[in-house]
Amino acid sequence: MASASETGHVANREYRSDHEGFLRHRGFRWMKIATALCVVCIAAYFLTDPKPRPGGGTWIGYTLGTIGALLIVWLSLLGIRKRAITEGRWSLKAWTSAHVYLGLSLIVVATLHTGFQLGWNVHTLAYALMMLVIVSGMFGIWAYASLPTALSTNREQMTQGQMVDAIRALDRQLHEAAQPLARGPSDLVLAALEEDPFSPGLLRRLSGHYSGCATQKALEGLALSGSADPEIERVEKLLVRRKAQLERMRRHMRLKAMLEVWLYVHVPATMALLAALTAHIVSVFYYW
């Protein structure tokens, strides 16, 4: 029967395993496996002497190509794997960790497979698409490792829905406060209220620059009026609060866009890579 101390150690290991990130999964298990794979491939490449020269058409080239092709196909199955919920050795965290490190190992495996011979053909196209997938995936790794913390800090324990509700509450106050104003200041406030903070496209969200912000224009217009009217001052204070809430929401949308934008490259490039890889394999065996 296990002692309380042993049970505690097991529980601690399980807790650390559950809360560690996918990059550190099981003490960097998949990084070690991927590194070992790269070392074996490099050793095999440089310790053999294929004739007439190293390349994809030699026995080592076919071996490396087979390893690379199998890895690409397996790595592309992550999207399907995400739909299944399992624990243990092949949990989603373990699969994602393997996806990252084995995907990076393809840089070595596929480059050695080419024998450093590239040209304007379908073979190089497959290699270029593979590199595009890997580079976009590296951006995704950085995004998922760093941006969630920034998202949480920006929200300050507020949900997206609560941020939207805060802006709408200010809008109602501004709408009432603008009623006694003269036509000019009132139009500035109404223009700010009519601006949809969610309408900017992906590029605007990624840049985080909103040079035509109607709320900022309303603040500048009221400041230029130089009026000491208490009603104007009340509206200005509300506009300052609205601007701060908008800036928080825009930072939130920018961070979310950065978390998602790489997939617009990664997924289509993966599909293109599978097509180019198929053409590469078919052409190789057709002309073999």
Side-chain angles (χ1 to χ4, degrees):
M1 187 174 181
S3 66
S5 178
E6 291 173 342
T7 303
H9 287 314
V10 171
N12 286 336
R13 284 197 299 269
E14 290 177 349
Y15 178 86
R16 287 195 299 269
S17 175
D18 290 340
H19 289 79
E20 67 184 356
F22 62 89
L23 293 177
R24 301 175 60 90
H25 179 69
R26 299 291 184 183
F28 296 99
R29 171 183 292 175
W30 286 103
M31 183 185 73
K32 296 171 184 175
I33 293 173
T35 301
L37 174 63
C38 292
V39 170
V40 170
C41 290
I42 292 171
Y45 182 86
F46 287 104
L47 294 178
T48 58
D49 188 23
K51 301 298 183 181
R53 59 180 178 174
T58 63
W59 72 267
I60 187 64
Y62 281 116
T63 301
L64 292 171
T66 300
I67 294 172
L70 291 174
L71 279 176
I72 289 171
V73 172
W74 182 79
L75 292 168
S76 67
L77 297 177
L78 178 63
I80 298 174
R81 170 62 186 81
K82 285 181 178 179
R83 298 184 178 92
I85 300 176
T86 58
E87 298 179 355
R89 182 174 299 176
W90 290 108
S91 65
L92 180 58
K93 185 187 293 184
W95 193 294
T96 305
S97 183
H99 181 90
V100 168
Y101 290 116
L102 292 179
L104 291 173
S105 72
L106 274 172
I107 298 175
V108 174
V109 175
T111 302
L112 295 178
H113 166 65
T114 67
F116 303 94
Q117 300 174 40
L118 302 173
W120 296 99
N121 49 49
V122 70
H123 316 300
T124 301
L125 174 62
Y127 179 80
L129 286 170
M130 183 203 72
M131 294 302 295
L132 176 61
V133 171
I134 292 173
V135 170
S136 62
M138 291 171 67
F139 178 86
I141 295 170
W142 169 81
Y144 277 98
S146 61
L147 295 185
T149 301
L151 268 171
S152 179
T153 301
N154 180 64
R155 288 200 311 264
E156 295 182 356
Q157 299 182 345
M158 294 178 68
T159 65
Q160 180 172 312
Q162 289 172 331
M163 286 190 283
V164 173
D165 289 341
I167 293 174
R168 288 174 177 170
L170 282 171
D171 287 354
R172 289 191 294 269
Q173 295 179 55
L174 273 167
H175 188 271
E176 294 177 3
Q179 298 302 317
L181 301 185
R183 180 64 181 271
S186 178
D187 286 347
L188 289 173
V189 175
L190 292 177
L193 296 178
E194 290 170 359
E195 183 182 43
D196 184 1
F198 304 101
S199 61
L202 179 62
L203 293 179
R204 177 71 67 83
R205 292 186 181 188
L206 286 172
S207 69
H209 296 298
Y210 296 81
S211 56
C213 178
T215 300
Q216 178 63 33
K217 289 182 178 180
L219 277 169
E220 293 171 354
L222 294 178
L224 287 174
S225 68
S227 174
D229 187 342
E231 297 294 340
I232 293 285
E233 292 179 355
R234 181 190 174 205
V235 169
E236 286 180 327
K237 291 178 180 178
L238 289 171
L239 284 172
V240 169
R241 290 172 57 192
R242 186 177 196 269
K243 180 185 176 185
Q245 291 291 347
L246 283 175
E247 288 175 346
R248 173 183 293 181
M249 175 59 72
R250 286 164 178 168
R251 284 194 300 270
H252 178 77
M253 292 191 298
R254 180 173 182 265
L255 291 169
K256 284 194 67 176
M258 291 176 68
L259 271 173
E260 299 169 357
V261 69
W262 68 278
L263 288 171
Y264 292 112
V265 176
H266 194 71
V267 174
T270 298
M271 298 299 103
L273 169 59
L274 291 172
L277 178 64
T278 301
H280 166 66
I281 294 172
V282 169
S283 63
V284 166
F285 284 98
Y286 180 80
Y287 292 107
W288 192 9

